[in-house]
Amino acid sequence: MRTSAVTAGVILFASLVSGKSAAPTIGEIIYRQGITAAGVPVNEDRGSGGISPGANAACVNCHRPSGLGAVEGGILCPPITAKYLFRRGIRYGQEETHSVSAIRSVYTDTTLARAIRDGIDPDGRTLKYLMPRYNLDDAAMTSLIAYLKELSSGPVPGTTADTLHFATIVTPDADPVKRKGMLDVLEHFVAAKNVFYRHLLPPARDPRWMYHIPRKWQLHVWDLAGEPETWGEQLHNRLKSEPVFAVISGLGGKNWEPIHQFCQQESIPCLFPNVDLPVVSESDFYDLYFSKGVLLEAGLIAHQIHDISGTAGIRRIVQVYREGDVGAEAAKALRNEIAAHGLVIIERPLTQRAAGGDLSAALEKAGAQDALVLWLRADDLRNLPLEPPKSPSVFVSGLMGGLEGAPIQGAWRGVTSMTYPYELPTRRGALQNYPVMWFNIQHIPLVAEQTQVDTYIACNIVGEILNDMQENFVRDYLIECAEDKLSSRIVNGNYPRLGLAPGQRFASKGGYIVRFAGADGNKLVPEGDWIVP
């Protein structure tokens, strides 16, 4: 049940910098960091002589940022918000979320302080060994209890008695075809959800529906305009006029960081946007991604080069990319990953307006001991010279080049390997059958398959999590449920498996290196097994 000190610090930092205007109280710091007002680490003692200080002793480790608890390995960590502490406990399984394992009386401030200090519940029973005992003075205890009374309480923006409001965000440089495909899926999913909602309205005064009141969904499309430095202000203005509970999916081009930072500042979950260059910051709590995109591809290429560099006689890495595109950041990531291997890195950046001749010039100096890495879009791949250089290995970004649709032609097919951060097409059929069948039923044109399938899976994940959350519509809890439940899914669309843990923000962590099987067509063959770099 205990996370590491590093993970606890990650969660603390994410919470305290997430845009809350008020300074954290002593109680919040104790809860999230395990530090008292004097900066002294709180100690936990389980009565066996073992004492854990500071971040390892923070309440957030087990009860989570929301305070709504968790179940891990069959062990229950109950919720400790006011909604659950200050009313009579009931048996686990009879409540709308994790609850105490036996009937107990209502806590008061006095009995709660005793439970925290001595591990005794309001009925005089000893709490289980997993509940630490904290030696807090009266001032610290008062502040901690006050914080628990406020934790995950009050109205949540974007939620009403019958509706949950969601946004999806589109940057101005996003692919218009992918935008149409994504919005088709989102709008049809929300419409289908609301049809189902009307059939689930609970019978009046039926106690079985006490904690199972359904909600409609309402989608807000936030199209951004102008330069990235203006997007934050645009988003804050949209949020003021259209409060939302969370951001679902979304579509980015070359820069997603302003959206990522906005969601951190406003403590809004941003769940699985379609972006090739996500922000890698495991300390940021509210942004979840399917994968690291081109940065994952850099890891896959580094892994492959490390494996073959000796036998292939590779001495240098030559990288070609266009300035200002996501490939520039991918090239930087590969450079950092490969630095420890003693290989020389040569950069051949192309300006945004560089023509085919400039591309040929960037390639012509690649020699027999060079691995060539092309961070290029499909248009550039079509303009490659007829003959590849004498490099023993050529790597192409699948995400940038178009995956199995990448226009690799002629002699290039025999020497080019491609990153593929999805399940292989020959193995993906069963994973995609359900969403594609749903598209057919909804009469949704398949115009951008990977984007549309990812969008559907994102919507499906949110729907399943909300069913489990039931009446606890708390933003932090939405993220926690994603961390807890994602790995139990079977239908994951483009990915063989998805999974998160506290402190992880990328659900798919690997991919393949593939080649085209023949001189034409789009059949791919893997060069090895699934790689997790």
Side-chain angles (χ1 to χ4, degrees):
M1 290 297 293
R2 317 300 291 173
T3 61
S4 68
V6 172
T7 301
V10 160
I11 296 172
L12 165 75
F13 180 80
S15 173
L16 297 187
V17 302
S18 62
K20 298 176 181 177
S21 57
T25 64
I26 295 170
E28 181 175 2
I29 294 173
I30 292 171
Y31 183 88
R32 295 181 178 272
Q33 196 175 8
I35 296 175
T36 66
V40 178
V42 170
N43 290 329
E44 65 172 21
D45 189 349
R46 297 167 192 251
S48 60
I51 297 177
S52 297
N56 282 326
C59 313
V60 73
N61 290 348
C62 291
H63 297 286
R64 312 294 292 276
S66 69
L68 291 170
V71 176
E72 184 176 325
I75 298 173
L76 171 69
C77 181
I80 54 171
T81 61
K83 176 180 177 181
Y84 296 95
L85 289 174
F86 300 106
R87 71 179 187 193
R88 188 169 182 263
I90 56 178
R91 293 189 182 279
Y92 177 60
Q94 292 179 274
E95 182 54 282
E96 71 267 33
T97 187
H98 320 301
S99 189
V100 290
S101 57
I103 295 175
R104 60 152 175 81
S105 300
V106 176
Y107 274 105
T108 64
D109 287 9
T110 300
T111 57
L112 182 56
R114 182 178 66 171
I116 294 170
R117 286 183 175 127
D118 304 323
I120 306 296
D121 83 357
D123 299 304
R125 293 175 297 208
T126 301
L127 297 175
K128 292 181 179 179
Y129 167 80
L130 289 175
M131 174 60 195
R133 282 55 167 161
Y134 297 94
N135 184 20
L136 298 177
D137 62 33
D138 289 346
M141 183 65 71
T142 298
S143 186
L144 176 59
I145 292 175
Y147 177 68
L148 295 180
K149 290 179 179 180
E150 296 176 356
L151 183 59
S152 296
S153 64
V156 178
T159 66
T160 68
D162 65 350
T163 303
L164 296 175
H165 292 260
F166 298 96
T168 196
I169 301 171
V170 183
T171 63
D173 61 343
D175 185 314
V177 175
K178 291 181 179 179
R179 178 187 182 279
K180 181 183 184 306
M182 179 193 73
L183 291 182
D184 270 352
V185 174
L186 283 167
E187 289 165 357
H188 280 81
F189 191 95
V190 170
K193 192 80 174 174
N194 290 342
V195 168
F196 188 60
Y197 157 81
R198 289 195 291 272
H199 294 288
L200 282 181
L201 290 176
R205 299 185 180 86
D206 187 337
R208 294 173 300 176
W209 289 89
M210 182 176 177
Y211 303 114
H212 300 265
I213 300 173
R215 295 289 192 279
K216 294 181 294 185
W217 288 22
Q218 184 167 332
L219 179 68
H220 304 267
V221 180
W222 291 354
D223 281 303
L224 300 176
E227 297 301 315
E229 54 266 26
T230 70
W231 296 352
E233 183 180 0
Q234 292 177 48
L235 290 168
H236 287 293
N237 290 336
R238 293 298 293 267
L239 183 63
K240 289 178 183 177
S241 61
E242 298 173 346
V244 298
F245 178 56
V247 175
I248 301 179
S249 193
L251 185 64
K254 300 172 185 176
N255 187 355
W256 189 255
E257 186 165 4
I259 295 93
H260 179 105
Q261 297 303 336
F262 161 77
C263 292
Q264 284 300 119
Q265 292 164 8
E266 295 289 350
S267 305
I268 297 176
C270 182
L271 306 173
F272 309 111
N274 297 290
V275 290
D276 290 337
L277 182 61
V279 177
V280 178
S281 179
E282 302 286 8
S283 64
D284 289 346
F285 183 72
Y286 293 98
D287 295 84
L288 303 182
Y289 300 93
F290 279 122
S291 85
K292 290 183 179 178
V294 294
L295 304 179
L296 170 60
E297 291 185 304
L300 295 173
I301 293 172
H303 182 279
Q304 193 76 347
I305 288 174
H306 178 263
D307 280 357
I308 68 173
S309 59
T311 57
I314 295 173
R315 295 292 178 266
R316 301 195 311 174
I317 312 297
V318 178
Q319 301 197 85
V320 182
Y321 56 87
R322 286 204 176 265
E323 295 173 347
D325 204 351
V326 297
E329 289 299 317
K332 179 180 177 181
L334 179 58
R335 183 168 65 249
N336 292 338
E337 295 240 10
I338 216 74
H341 300 315
L343 299 175
V344 177
I345 308 293
I346 305 296
E347 307 286 341
R348 305 287 188 202
L350 303 172
T351 65
Q352 285 295 321
R353 296 183 178 181
D358 299 291
L359 175 57
S360 296
L363 299 173
E364 64 184 10
K365 295 182 180 179
Q369 292 186 316
D370 297 339
L372 179 61
V373 183
L374 304 179
W375 301 104
L376 299 174
R377 302 284 182 182
D379 286 344
D380 280 326
L381 296 180
R382 290 189 187 94
N383 290 323
L384 291 173
L386 291 177
E387 293 296 323
K390 299 186 182 300
S391 302
S393 297
V394 178
F395 295 93
V396 168
S397 163
L399 290 175
M400 295 184 67
L403 300 168
E404 54 264 46
I408 306 295
Q409 303 297 331
W412 286 88
R413 285 202 164 211
V415 299
T416 300
S417 302
M418 183 168 65
T419 50
Y420 202 87
Y422 294 127
E423 181 57 282
L424 296 170
T426 53
R427 303 175 187 173
R428 204 166 62 220
L431 299 174
Q432 283 195 335
N433 280 346
Y434 188 87
V436 171
M437 180 177 63
W438 187 84
F439 298 159
N440 290 334
I441 293 171
Q442 298 291 327
H443 305 291
I444 298 174
L446 200 60
V447 297
E449 183 176 359
Q450 270 82 21
T451 297
Q452 289 175 282
V453 170
D454 278 358
T455 300
Y456 175 82
I457 296 300
C459 291
N460 202 258
I461 289 170
V462 174
E464 290 178 0
I465 292 172
L466 289 174
N467 287 340
D468 290 335
M469 292 172 65
Q470 297 175 26
E471 279 300 283
N472 286 291
F473 296 123
V474 175
R475 287 169 170 171
D476 286 3
Y477 191 44
L478 179 66
I479 296 291
E480 294 161 13
C481 287
E483 293 173 343
D484 291 342
K485 302 177 185 301
L486 202 61
S487 60
S488 63
R489 291 180 51 83
I490 296 174
V491 178
N492 292 316
N494 292 314
Y495 306 95
R497 63 189 66 86
L498 296 173
L500 291 170
Q504 294 182 350
R505 290 299 170 261
F506 299 94
S508 179
K509 300 168 179 64
Y512 295 97
I513 300 291
V514 301
R515 286 177 179 263
F516 283 101
D520 52 30
N522 60 5
K523 183 178 179 180
L524 301 174
V525 292
E527 295 187 357
D529 294 330
W530 178 263
I531 299 168
V532 179

